Every structure is written in C-alpha cells, then in structure tokens.
Amino acid sequence: MAKLAAGSKRTSHPPKAVQGYKTLGGHNPETSALHNLLAAQGVVRPDGEKYSEALLLGIGGGLDFGYFAFETPRGNHLVLGTRHRWADLTPGFLEGIGTRLKLDLDVKETTNDRGASNLLVNVVRTQGRAAICWVDLASLPWHFLPPELKKYVVHAVAVFGLDEDAAVALVDDRAQGPFLVGVEELGDARAAIPGLKNRLLSVNEVVSKPDLKAAILEGIALMVEANRNPANKSFGLAGIEKWSELVASPKDKKGWPSLFAPGPGLVEAAVAGYNWLELMSGGGALRPLYAQFLDEAAVLAKKPKLAKVAEEYRKIAVLWSDFAQALLPEEVTRFKYLREALNKKHKAIAQGAASMSDAEKATKEVASTRKTAGDRPFTDAEAKAYYAGLRARLKVLFEA
C-alpha cells in the first residue's frame, strides 16, 4: 500500500478503492480523471471500445493557449494554459464533454466545508463511485510547491477510495499509482479557492448512445472558434502573439526584461513555463495528445484528411517542446541542471505515493539548482540574446 502524503495521519485501516478503478496515468487533469472514471464504470463508445483521454480532450474543445503573468508580495509568477476553457472556474469543460457524449454527470457544489465532506463520502463510500474534485494545486502535498502559490492555480483530481473512518482518501492525480492524503487536508485543498465551491463531479449510469461523429466535429469547431476569436488577447493565437511581443520588450513594464529580470525572477518564469508546457501537459503543450485525437477522429468521423492535420500538430508539438527546453537551455549549464532536476521530480511524482521519497529528494535538488541559477544572472548581453531567442521561437509558433 502506498504511503500517506507528508503531514497526513492514518486513523484506521487503509482505504479501499472503489470497484474497478485503476490509476492509468494521464496528461491533462480533467480529461485524465474523467477517462479513468469512465473506464472504472464501464462506460464505452457506441462501438463498444473504451474512450481514450485523447478523444475526450478533442470532444471537449481540444486545445487553447493562455498567457498570464501576475505579481504577488513574494514575487512575480507565470501561468500558461494549453486546454480549451482552461481558465474557467466553472465545470463547463467537462459538462460540455458530458453533453456531447450524453453522459449523465452529477455536479455538486457547496460553500459549507462539512457539507463538502459529506458529499464526497456519499459518492465514494455510499454509492461506490469515484469522484472528480477541483482543488488548489499548491495545497496538494505531493507536488511540493511553495506556499506563495496557494489559491492561484486550479487543479482537478479523482478520489476513488476512503477508509472506514472517512479520514484518509485515495487520490488519482495522473500518476501510475495512488496518493494517500487525509480527508481534512484534501478538504483544505478543495476549499482554498472559494470560486470552486468545493466542487465534486461523478458519473451516473449512461442511458443513451451519443452521435460520436457529431460530438467530434463539434469539439473541433469549438477549438477553431476559441483560437481564432478568443475572449481577450491573453488567449488563443492572440495570447501567443502577446507573449512574443512582451518577452523581449525592454520598454513595456509587463515585458520580461522588467517583470522577469535576470536573476531569481527570470529563473521563476523559466521554471514555470517549462512546467506548464512540458511537464503539466504531458509534453509539447498537450499537442501530441490532440494529434492522437485527430488520428482517432479521422476514422470515427470518417474524415481521413484529419490524419494529415494530426501530422501537422505533431510538428507543432515538437516546436513547443523545443521552446520549453529553450527556457532552460542546454548550453547554460546551471539551467540545464535545473531542468534535469525538474524532470526527476516530475518522474517521481508520476509514479504515485510509492515514490514520494524520490520526489522529495528531487524537490530539494530543484531548490538547490534553482538558487544557483538565480544567484548567477545573465549579463546584459546574455539576457538580451535569451529574450530575443524566445521571441523568435514564439513568432514561429504563432505562424505554425
């Protein structure tokens, strides 16, 4: 049995997983959690095959892009989005998938913490079903994130088991194994961002078959519209263009030379960008998973031209991965070591609670290499070349 997350206490026998639930890993928090819930409950496509995470992503609206840089009392931070409706505090993304696939999704919200716990117990213990919970990412102990990031980043996990006292939960967070965490600590993570209202989603029995071709085509149309006509200039293609304009602008106060100047600030932005684009998305800013969707869609929707589009997205995925690596470039030794430490930490977390000692060790290595990188800032000439290189890559991505 996996070990409890740091700081949690076990008060009874280990939690028992709901019947049929398996931690299958994943890429995006929402789509991987829904994928694993559907698999556990035996929900399949009209042809009897299992839904893939890629198909769920595409039907949900696929890809997007979002760029946000914000200031806190302890420094400036960067948040990037790669999925359709990624910044939406509502459950609209998953509800959209549910509507198009004729899934009976049960969404519950409450501002009462005790009520939130009761809702979780009812679904997982009484009904014997897993539930998706929206949480504050930095409040989850296995991510080992700094406290100043708490209440800023929305995340989602699946809860698929509780112990006899409903004091300890089994949590699926895109890893190959489970995480164990105290229900009270999980409750704090659920309540940390008030706008989430302790949201919980479960899947009821499915009673009708969807029009899979229509669902696929609607998902593609949503993605095209969102990227071409974003809600504001921080989203879609406009968001990539905005970033390209700011990343090397010495005059704009929101430009990287000012907001993320050489030293600890720039290291913070580089680490965040690498995390969002390469680690938190499963690689390539989620583009490889979307390419997989297009391959499936080409067959299921009888649109063979989509397979050619999939190849283009694989090329774009490589560009995003190359850009992520350029944030922590190989030729800058202190940045290279930092990137390697981040990869070690991510690999350990992806194994689940059984590898938490490795994750904690890697986190310390990240902190050490991060400090080294921050203590040795670029010279003015090196910084100018670094920012200009990022801008050139972003312009290529905008045109891709």
Side-chain angles (χ1 to χ4, degrees):
M1 172 61 66
K3 297 179 180 179
L4 274 168
S8 303
K9 297 180 180 179
R10 179 178 293 146
T11 58
S12 67
H13 297 294
K16 182 180 180 181
V18 300
Q19 186 174 1
Y21 196 96
K22 296 180 181 179
T23 51
L24 303 172
H27 295 77
N28 175 260
E30 285 85 351
T31 53
S32 65
L34 181 61
H35 168 256
N36 294 353
L37 259 68
L38 296 180
Q41 294 180 216
V43 178
V44 295
R45 298 176 345 202
D47 61 4
E49 296 295 321
K50 294 180 180 180
Y51 284 104
S52 68
E53 183 186 355
L55 191 59
L56 296 175
L57 171 69
I59 289 172
L63 305 175
D64 199 350
F65 179 79
Y67 171 87
F68 285 96
F70 58 92
E71 301 177 57
T72 73
R74 296 190 180 185
N76 302 332
H77 297 282
L78 173 70
V79 175
L80 303 175
T82 58
R83 192 212 71 214
H84 182 63
R85 298 187 69 165
W86 69 277
D88 191 349
L89 286 181
T90 77
F93 174 71
L94 290 187
E95 286 181 325
I97 297 174
T99 297
R100 288 183 275 286
L101 292 182
K102 299 188 183 304
L103 303 174
D104 184 7
L105 303 183
D106 188 8
V107 179
K108 302 289 188 184
E109 294 181 343
T110 177
T111 55
N112 181 280
D113 293 349
R114 181 179 292 275
S117 179
N118 290 340
L119 288 173
L120 182 63
V121 170
N122 181 54
V123 172
V124 179
R125 283 278 300 279
T126 306
Q127 299 178 27
R129 291 183 289 157
I132 297 175
C133 293
W134 277 257
V135 295
D136 167 50
L137 178 66
S139 294
L140 298 177
W142 52 86
H143 285 287
F144 299 99
L145 293 175
E148 58 263 28
L149 286 181
K150 286 187 176 181
K151 302 185 179 183
Y152 282 106
V153 183
V154 176
H155 192 61
V157 297
V159 177
F160 65 102
L162 293 170
D163 67 348
E164 294 175 356
D165 300 324
V168 179
L170 277 171
V171 175
D172 179 7
D173 188 4
R174 301 170 301 136
Q176 294 299 319
F179 295 98
L180 282 169
V181 66
V183 169
E184 184 176 340
E185 189 171 11
L186 177 63
D188 290 341
R190 295 176 66 195
I193 302 176
L196 297 178
K197 300 179 181 179
N198 293 292
R199 185 180 305 122
L200 178 149
L201 180 151
S202 58
V203 181
N204 294 325
E205 296 300 319
V206 179
V207 295
S208 59
K209 293 184 178 181
D211 182 337
L212 199 55
K213 179 178 180 179
I216 287 169
L217 296 181
E218 185 175 347
I220 293 173
L222 282 171
M223 177 182 145
V224 171
E225 174 63 20
N227 279 272
R228 287 182 177 176
N229 300 294
N232 61 58
K233 292 184 178 180
S234 293
F235 292 90
L237 292 173
I240 300 175
E241 184 176 36
K242 175 182 177 179
W243 192 8
S244 72
E245 293 170 350
L246 291 174
V247 74
S249 175
K251 296 181 180 180
D252 195 316
K253 66 179 181 179
K254 294 184 178 180
W256 274 40
S258 298
L259 200 63
F260 300 116
L266 178 56
V267 172
E268 161 63 31
V271 167
Y274 184 77
N275 267 322
W276 291 119
L277 296 174
E278 199 64 12
L279 302 182
M280 293 298 289
S281 72
L286 210 56
R287 272 59 182 167
L289 190 65
Y290 193 72
Q292 181 186 330
F293 158 71
L294 290 171
D295 279 335
E296 293 184 36
V299 176
L300 295 171
K302 295 181 171 59
K303 297 284 186 181
K305 290 183 179 179
L306 291 177
K308 294 183 180 180
V309 182
E311 289 305 313
E312 293 304 312
Y313 270 94
R314 288 191 174 90
K315 294 176 184 177
I316 294 172
V318 172
L319 293 176
W320 275 114
S321 288
D322 288 347
F323 175 83
Q325 181 158 317
L327 288 166
L328 296 168
E330 186 83 9
E331 60 271 18
V332 182
T333 304
R334 56 194 182 278
F335 277 17
K336 171 189 173 182
Y337 290 158
L338 176 53
R339 174 166 44 81
E340 290 173 347
L342 289 167
N343 289 341
K344 287 181 188 176
K345 176 184 175 182
H346 176 74
K347 183 178 180 180
I349 293 173
Q351 298 306 307
S355 295
M356 280 304 92
S357 59
D358 292 337
E360 191 167 9
K361 180 180 178 181
T363 298
K364 293 177 181 177
E365 185 178 344
V366 168
S368 175
T369 54
R370 192 171 187 157
K371 184 177 186 305
T372 299
D375 288 346
R376 293 178 58 197
F378 288 135
T379 65
D380 289 345
E382 290 171 336
K384 186 175 181 180
Y386 175 84
Y387 295 130
L390 296 181
R391 178 178 59 189
R393 290 178 181 272
L394 286 169
K395 287 186 176 297
V396 171
L397 282 162
F398 175 71
E399 297 292 340

